[in-house]
Each structure stands twice: as structure tokens, then as C-alpha cells.
Amino acid sequence: KIIMKNLKYIFSTFIVLFIVSCANDDSSASNDSGPIYKGPYYNEFLACNAGPAFEDGIQEMLTAWQELTPATGLGWAGVYAPNGDDHRFSNGWWELEWDSKESSDNAFNNPSPEFLAWSEKYSDVMTCDIEGRFPWTFYLPRDPASFGEVMGENGYFASEFLACNLNEGKSRQDLRATVVQFNEYLDQNGSEVPYFYGVYFPEFENADADFLWGNWHASFDSMKVGNKDWEENGKAMQAKFDEISTCISPDYYDSRELFNNPNT
């Protein structure tokens, strides 16, 4: 019931497509932002808003998008919509993740005729700020299947994003060390529910956060179970995060996987 309610929310509010490429799998990359299970990826966020035909046309629009030939460098796609009233943003987001900036530039500078036709046909359903893309470097510090499959019925999953700033005197290297400890915590304590996480670093000027932390769960019910366990058993680990960074209240999104190409 929760899943169907949240899916209904997706198709009656603002929406976003989230595209992920797994082409650049470099577990040995030398970087102070890891540890790195996969990455770095080049991610872009686009603000998207519903048009006058959104409610009646969004499902058809997404089905038609799934039939398009994916751009080179893309490997995953899904939809996100804000959940709850206490949210920093009223719009949805289209997140694009590429193996490089060059792949993104090529896709936007040389769009395929079928994509242009799709975009024009559904321009009254949803519009996104193509020129105002916000780039991030994304790292996946852990196998997302460590604690089971997050994607549920119809590809649904629940997302939690926290915007964080490093405390005075702290650096990305300190975050890296703490993430290593967090993985050790997860190895020792496990997770009662499917869960994985990722870290984003801004690649644009005037960003209001030093990094963005994403938590992904199978549903908001399973998120509650995981958060309760964290509150009971993760106090020491939370204190280590609090020592290096300060995060604002999280934003929550109903999410649904649309496309997955693990070979990309």
C-alpha cells in the first residue's frame, strides 16, 4: 500500500529522470573522496517542472522515453519526486550521470532526432532547465547489493539526500577516513533492510554544500526500520560523522527505476 501510494505521488507531482552510467569502474582510483567501489562519475542535476498536461501525460511520456536509444555513456535511469512538506525544493530533478563530461557535452550538443521529437511532443508534460545543469562528481563507496535488492515492485525505491559542509579544519581526506570506518561498521553490524549509499562533490561555483550524501532504501517503511537500528546502534559512528561535518535536514524523494544497463 505504501509503494502504490508513493508511486501515485510520483505521477501527480514534479518528476525527474535519473540516469546513471557504470562505464567508469575504477576501484583503484587515487582520490581523497572515497573509498571507491565505483566511480568517479560525472553527474548533472537539472531542475524540472510539470506542465499543463503532466497528470494525464507523464506515464505515456516515460514509456516513450524508455523506447528511445540511450545516449552513449548512460547506464541507468529512474524518476524522482519530492516526498513530504518539509522540502528545500518544490520542483523535481533530472539527474544525469555520465562516464565523463565529454559524454554529456556530446549528448546535449548533438541530440538524436528521436530524442528531439520526443522532447517536443511532451514539452507540455514536463520541462527541464537544460542550460542550468549542476555538475557533481559521484562516488559509490560500496556494492549497492551488499544488503539485498533496493529496487522493489515496479522499480520503486525511497531516497534520502543530505547536504553537508565540512567542519572547520576538516577536509575530504577526513571524510574518506570516516567513510572507511562506516563501511567497517556496516560489515560488523549489517543492515536489517536493503540499503546503499553514495557521495557527491560539487563541480560548480557557489555550491551551498561541500558534499551531498545519498541514502537509498527499498521503501520509506524499510527506511524507518534502518533509521531505528541506526539510532540504537550507530551513535558512536554518528559521532564520528558529526566531528567532521554538519548536515542540514534531509530531503526525501519517491523514486522509480526506469532503465538499467549494467554493461555500460
Side-chain angles (χ1 to χ4, degrees):
K1 294 181 179 178
I2 293 295
I3 288 178
M4 295 307 297
K5 179 180 179 181
N6 288 336
L7 286 174
K8 181 179 179 180
Y9 186 87
I10 286 179
F11 295 118
S12 62
T13 60
F14 302 113
I15 204 160
V16 35
L17 300 179
F18 178 77
I19 317 280
V20 178
S21 167
C22 295
N24 187 8
D25 181 2
D26 185 1
S27 301
S28 62
S30 177
N31 192 283
D32 63 358
S33 306
I36 305 170
Y37 170 71
K38 287 186 177 180
Y41 303 120
Y42 183 78
N43 285 43
E44 296 173 306
F45 285 87
L46 294 75
C48 298
N49 291 291
F54 181 89
E55 188 168 344
D56 293 332
I58 186 59
Q59 295 192 55
E60 178 184 324
M61 176 185 179
L62 295 179
T63 298
W65 180 88
Q66 289 177 295
E67 297 173 354
L68 297 177
T69 301
T72 301
L74 301 179
W76 188 93
V79 291
Y80 282 59
N83 178 293
D85 298 326
D86 186 13
H87 223 274
R88 287 194 298 159
F89 307 103
S90 60
N91 60 271
W93 294 96
W94 183 346
E95 181 182 5
L96 305 174
E97 183 170 307
W98 311 85
D99 57 346
S100 68
K101 182 179 184 300
E102 288 72 25
S103 292
S104 169
D105 290 343
N106 182 64
F108 282 107
N109 293 334
N110 304 284
S112 67
E114 63 171 345
F115 175 82
L116 291 176
W118 170 84
S119 180
E120 181 177 359
K121 180 178 181 179
Y122 297 103
S123 60
D124 60 344
V125 176
M126 184 176 69
T127 58
C128 298
D129 185 3
I130 299 294
E131 299 300 324
R133 306 191 302 274
F134 294 94
W136 300 72
T137 296
F138 174 68
Y139 293 91
L140 189 63
R142 186 183 185 89
D143 183 352
S146 295
F147 304 109
E149 180 60 51
V150 168
M151 309 305 170
E153 182 181 355
N154 295 320
Y156 178 84
F157 62 104
S159 303
E160 176 185 42
F161 287 93
L162 297 92
C164 306
N165 283 299
L166 294 167
N167 294 335
E168 185 175 357
K170 300 300 181 180
S171 66
R172 289 187 181 184
Q173 184 62 35
D174 296 304
L175 177 61
R176 175 186 175 89
T178 306
V179 170
V180 170
Q181 292 177 316
F182 182 51
N183 273 341
E184 293 172 350
Y185 167 86
L186 292 174
D187 289 336
Q188 295 171 4
N189 295 274
S191 176
E192 296 184 22
V193 293
Y195 164 76
F196 72 100
Y197 70 98
V199 184
Y200 302 75
F201 295 97
E203 299 296 341
F204 57 94
E205 295 182 357
N206 302 318
D208 61 0
D210 291 329
F211 66 95
L212 189 66
W213 184 284
N215 291 315
W216 296 290
H217 298 260
S219 69
F220 283 102
D221 278 351
S222 67
M223 181 185 294
K224 290 179 181 178
V225 173
N227 287 345
K228 181 179 179 181
D229 178 77
W230 176 254
E231 291 172 1
E232 295 175 353
N233 302 306
K235 293 183 177 63
M237 189 67 242
Q238 181 64 62
K240 295 178 181 179
F241 279 115
D242 294 341
E243 183 179 344
I244 65 163
S245 63
T246 301
C247 303
I248 64 174
S249 298
D251 289 326
Y252 299 100
Y253 293 89
D254 290 295
S255 320
R256 177 187 165 195
E257 183 179 72
L258 294 176
F259 171 77
N260 189 354
N261 181 7
N263 297 322
T264 302

